[in-house]
Amino acid sequence: LESWHKVRASMPMYMLARKIKSLGVKMVLSGEGADEVYGGYLYFHKAPSDRHFQEELVRKTTRLHEWDVLRANKSTMAWGLEARVPFLDKEFLQLSMNIDPREKMIDLSQKPDGVHAKAEKYILRKAFDTPDDPYLPDEVLWRQKEAFSDGVGYDWVDGLKEYADIEVSDEEFAARHERWSKDTPETKEYYLLRHYFEQHYPDPCAAATVPDGKSIACSTPEAVSWYPEWENQASDISGRAVMDVHQAGDSNLYSAKKGAEPTKAAMTAASASRTASYSTVSVSANGFKHSETKAQATGAFHYTGRIRSFSISPSVVGRSLKQSRHVSRQRAAHVAIRPVAGGSMVRLC
């Protein structure tokens, strides 16, 4: 990979490429460039002006060879799989980069078509919005941007962080400035990845080829200044780093089926309702369907989603979070529940 920054997205892509190649596929189309050209990353919600927005698009696009294209090329070609990037076609770039940036800027209060919020990559989404002959289902086409490393499952990144906490001692991390005076790792995760990088590329000139600087949700270092809180926040390329924008899992649709209330509004109402009913549990779900079980009187809650379901019982809620095998982590005084594919387990975060 020749970088310690792109491991989060590279590992899932590397494993996916292996699986695809095993099926006999030789070439795939990959979406690199769309987020850079149309402002798809969640930090673009905070762009102060159309000028800032456009300047960041240019920075992101011209640096792709150091970041996502580097990752896509190496992760796929490691298995002899060719990845082609249609969004970086020169004619497409010429057209897209000359669109007025005000048309690309994110404003969820607007609904240009009367149905869908003006979300990330709105122009590109609308190009595929063909209700009479759908190219993509609405729940895919209109869901919030999710970073590759988050989209494969939050457990991947969270697990990587937890592994680094075990592998890197507090003493080692405290002395990180002595080991790396330039581009010093801000977290144990990046300490560990930098350590692995040096094992493969010990010569200092190798590290000099890796771009540095803080990044929030895949931003350039220049865009960190858009939002004062980011300057005091540890570098994190996950979309979850934009905490007041990111919506987890199936709760992140920008519109529901025609005739229904927007999913985000339904999810918020449902969450508030559950929090009022169960003071220790705050439910975040996709809002398509909710049903209470007969065990409601004892505090049990059951949710059935469009394609997923989960349930939680008083025994899990009442048990110490660290002792329960159903629980991966607790981030606040309340417990947020997310459905997991297949409904086979409960994830609390």
Side-chain angles (χ1 to χ4, degrees):
L1 185 60
E2 298 178 12
S3 171
W4 57 83
H5 289 302
K6 304 302 294 182
V7 173
R8 285 188 182 183
S10 296
M11 279 302 299
M13 195 170 197
Y14 177 83
M15 297 172 71
L16 183 62
R18 179 177 64 177
K19 177 62 177 179
I20 293 172
K21 187 59 185 288
S22 72
L23 299 175
V25 177
K26 296 181 179 180
M27 185 276 292
V28 294
L29 299 180
S30 192
E32 277 69 35
D35 290 310
E36 288 74 15
V37 173
Y38 282 96
Y41 297 106
L42 295 188
Y43 74 90
F44 276 101
H45 280 252
K46 305 293 187 181
S49 68
D50 56 329
R51 179 175 179 176
H52 287 86
F53 194 97
Q54 179 69 7
E55 289 175 346
E56 178 70 357
L57 294 183
V58 173
R59 285 192 293 264
K60 288 291 294 180
T61 303
T62 56
R63 298 175 190 177
L64 267 171
H65 65 287
E66 297 178 312
W67 297 93
D68 293 63
V69 170
L70 172 70
R71 176 255 302 163
N73 179 57
K74 292 186 177 293
S75 297
T76 55
M77 288 307 293
W79 300 102
L81 180 68
E82 179 188 358
R84 297 184 183 179
V85 284
F87 292 123
L88 295 178
D89 173 81
K90 290 183 179 180
E91 291 185 9
F92 182 83
L93 283 175
Q94 183 69 22
L95 171 66
S96 299
M97 294 302 285
N98 280 286
I99 295 175
D100 188 331
R102 290 174 293 185
E103 299 296 328
K104 299 179 182 179
M105 290 187 72
I106 303 162
D107 185 350
L108 299 182
S109 67
Q110 294 185 25
K111 292 184 177 180
D113 64 356
V115 179
H116 304 101
K118 191 166 180 278
E120 316 91 33
K121 298 181 288 189
Y122 179 83
I123 296 174
L124 190 59
R125 294 175 193 260
K126 283 300 295 181
F128 289 87
D129 186 23
T130 54
D132 295 334
D133 184 21
Y135 187 83
L136 293 169
D138 273 7
E139 54 264 35
V140 174
L141 182 60
W142 293 104
R143 66 175 293 162
Q144 189 182 68
K145 159 70 180 179
E146 190 77 281
F148 197 152
S149 54
D150 289 330
V152 299
Y154 300 134
D155 283 346
W156 155 235
V157 171
D158 292 343
L160 180 59
K161 291 179 180 179
E162 292 168 3
Y163 180 73
D165 283 340
I166 296 172
E167 291 295 304
V168 180
S169 69
D170 291 340
E171 292 76 15
E172 288 175 318
F173 188 66
R176 64 192 184 279
H177 292 279
E178 299 174 13
R179 184 172 180 181
W180 299 295
S181 59
K182 186 175 184 293
D183 196 18
T184 307
E186 297 181 90
T187 65
K188 287 187 176 181
E189 175 194 356
Y190 280 93
Y191 183 107
L192 183 63
L193 296 178
R194 183 84 177 262
H195 169 71
Y196 287 154
F197 177 88
E198 287 193 346
Q199 287 185 329
H200 293 282
Y201 306 102
D203 198 306
C205 67
T209 67
V210 179
D212 59 7
K214 177 175 287 190
S215 175
I216 299 296
C218 292
S219 74
T220 65
E222 292 88 337
V224 172
S225 64
W226 289 357
Y227 203 54
E229 286 82 353
W230 292 346
E231 296 182 356
N232 299 318
Q233 187 174 328
S235 184
D236 189 348
I237 62 173
S238 169
R240 290 184 285 172
V242 191
M243 293 177 284
D244 58 341
V245 173
H246 180 264
Q247 296 288 334
D250 284 338
S251 66
N252 64 5
L253 292 182
Y254 284 119
S255 68
K257 293 295 183 182
K258 290 185 178 179
E261 290 296 317
T263 300
K264 290 181 74 175
M267 178 275 294
T268 302
S271 178
S273 172
R274 303 303 176 234
T275 303
S277 301
Y278 311 108
S279 59
T280 57
V281 179
S282 173
V283 177
S284 298
N286 68 9
F288 281 100
K289 180 181 178 183
H290 294 278
S291 63
E292 306 287 353
T293 67
K294 291 183 179 180
Q296 180 179 0
T298 62
F301 176 84
H302 178 72
Y303 162 81
T304 301
R306 180 179 171 88
I307 57 173
R308 298 172 177 149
S309 66
F310 65 76
S311 61
I312 184 168
S313 66
S315 61
V316 176
V317 176
R319 198 182 313 162
S320 168
L321 290 176
K322 290 184 178 180
Q323 293 175 356
S324 174
R325 64 185 177 84
H326 296 285
V327 179
S328 57
R329 73 172 50 227
Q330 180 188 28
R331 290 188 177 177
H334 64 272
V335 182
I337 307 174
R338 283 202 299 267
V340 176
S344 59
M345 61 177 287
V346 177
R347 282 179 63 203
L348 310 184
C349 67

